[in-house]
Amino acid sequence: MSGCIRVLFLLSVVSAPVMAATGIAVQIQDATGKVLPDTVVYVESDAIAQQAGRPGTASIEQKGLKFLPLVTVVQTGATINFPNNDKVRHHIYSFSPAHKFDQKLYSGQAASPQVFDKAGTVVLGCNIHDNMIAYIKVVDTPHFAKTDGAGAARIELPAAGKYVVKAWHYNAVGGATAEQTLTVKAGELATAVLKLSLKPAVVGDTPP
């Protein structure tokens, strides 16, 4: 390839348009407009329902007499590990219909992994330390995220189409889920702003 042709070839590569990712940027707020971190955001559609997906694994550790992270989102069928990184033993459990289980007193990595095979909300507790609590949201879609400190999240999608964006927060009134329907074009980053009404704070309560 001559020098002139090589230059033209490189220019054509550099100037070629790059297809942007198809997806949705989501902002979650409470009823007053305050941003909501730790909100689960997920996207549903008929096309997504037909995807097999790989549920994957997640981990919720016990450290500093807390569950970390406070909120976890996984796809139906996912496995979650519960390592105890405290110097004391814990006895974790859930009475939630979506997944009931009971892990007796243990330390280190002794707890058996749990498979979450039903969509829904799972609340974790510890029989020894009543102040310990965490939330797991199990969703029937591989396209989900959790909002950051600015109440924002971004979800990339496999193709253009009509999607329903849903948002769930552990402190929402009545466990309500906000939702919005969007038509997303190929290469477009659509935007959605959803609001959730939260339960009023109780005097004396401290954030989990």
Side-chain angles (χ1 to χ4, degrees), residues 175-187:
T177 299
E179 63 179 64
Q180 181 177 343
T181 300
L182 291 175
T183 298
V184 183
K185 298 178 181 178

Side-chain angles (χ1 to χ4, degrees), residues 77-135:
T79 299
I80 299 182
N81 295 289
F82 297 92
N84 180 0
N85 293 320
D86 274 329
K87 294 182 179 180
V88 297
R89 294 194 294 171
H90 289 297
H91 179 162
I92 62 174
Y93 67 91
S94 171
F95 295 138
S96 303
H99 189 77
K100 297 180 181 180
F101 72 99
D102 184 47
Q103 296 277 12
K104 302 298 183 182
L105 280 169
Y106 74 96
S107 60
Q109 306 290 323
S112 301
Q114 296 287 320
V115 177
F116 291 77
D117 54 6
K118 179 191 287 187
T121 302
V122 178
V123 182
L124 299 179
C126 176
N127 268 335
I128 310 302
H129 308 95
D130 292 339
N131 63 315
M132 290 178 63
I133 190 169
Y135 306 88

